[in-house]
Amino acid sequence: MEINYNKKVEVKYSADVLVIGGGPAGTAAAVCAAKQGVKVILIETHGALGGSGTVGMVPEFMFFDDGINLLSDGFGGEIKREFYGDKNEHKTYNVPVEALKRKYDQMVMDSGVKLLFFTRLVDFVVEGGVIKQAVVISQSGIYAIEAKTFVDCTGDGNASVRAGANSWYGDDGAHTNPATLCSMWGGVDFAKKNISVI
């Protein structure tokens, strides 16, 4: 069964760049674009920035450096120096979740990005193969955001597919890497974590 659904929606915002998804990539894309002097809007489904590293509680950043040279300077370098200092150690780092949320918030506010939490992409208005507006939904209802450039930072290519891009899932047999599952622990004396219990 199908229905034909039509509704006029307000074009509520206009920007040079609309970034869809506020994980590490989306936050970096929005902040770095705004620092170039363009008007940027960042939409995020959840109520915090950081994606899997914060909301998803995946607690590690991979290497920032090769042990000698910082390889991810700029936005990444600022995060690294804030939480882990200047020393290059070629190791993974545990993410300080709540502090990282606040750091991302501050970077976004300082850059002048307009941030819209609890805002999810519904669809795009595409004319002649060019995206004109994104249709989104939030607590205030359905509306459109107009932009010159749209950046898909959804993590799964969701926005690109809705705009009509080709996509595929996994390898030729549709196999993918397993999801990372994390847990939170309390009441553990981590100073004793390397002691074997028999």
Side-chain angles (χ1 to χ4, degrees), residues 19-36:
V19 179
I20 302 158
T27 304
V31 168
C32 293
K35 286 183 176 180
Q36 301 303 310

Side-chain angles (χ1 to χ4, degrees), residues 7-177:
K7 183 176 182 177
K8 288 185 178 180
V9 298
E10 175 190 7
V11 178
K12 194 170 183 178
Y13 301 109
S14 181
D16 295 305
V17 178
L18 173 62
V19 179
I20 302 158
T27 304
V31 168
C32 293
K35 286 183 176 180
Q36 301 303 310
V38 297
K39 183 178 178 184
V40 180
I41 296 173
L42 170 60
I43 65 170
E44 166 55 37
T45 300
H46 300 291
L49 297 171
S52 293
T54 56
V55 178
M57 294 298 297
V58 178
E60 284 190 310
F61 278 154
M62 295 297 102
F63 311 112
F64 285 92
D65 58 76
D66 61 6
I68 299 170
N69 304 295
L70 181 62
L71 303 176
S72 58
D73 209 349
F75 185 91
E78 185 173 340
I79 297 293
K80 195 244 183 201
R81 286 186 290 273
E82 172 82 15
F83 297 110
Y84 312 115
D86 289 319
K87 186 176 180 184
N88 295 327
E89 302 179 87
H90 194 60
K91 67 175 188 177
T92 59
Y93 297 89
N94 284 342
V95 176
V97 173
E98 294 303 323
L100 184 59
K101 287 180 188 176
R102 292 191 299 274
K103 176 64 176 175
Y104 283 149
D105 285 348
Q106 192 62 55
M107 293 173 84
V108 166
M109 288 188 296
D110 289 348
S111 70
V113 169
K114 181 170 188 62
L115 174 59
L116 302 172
F117 281 135
F118 302 110
T119 303
R120 180 184 296 271
L121 176 70
V122 174
D123 204 354
F124 287 110
V125 175
V126 181
E127 296 176 6
V130 177
I131 302 172
K132 297 296 184 179
Q133 294 96 14
V135 179
V136 302
I137 188 166
S138 70
Q139 288 295 90
S140 62
I142 298 173
Y143 59 90
I145 301 173
E146 191 170 63
K148 297 173 185 171
T149 301
F150 297 82
V151 182
D152 181 354
C153 290
T154 58
D156 56 10
N158 186 300
S160 297
V161 170
R162 290 191 191 187
N166 291 328
S167 67
W168 63 92
Y169 183 81
D171 63 13
D172 291 339
H175 300 105
T176 65
N177 284 333

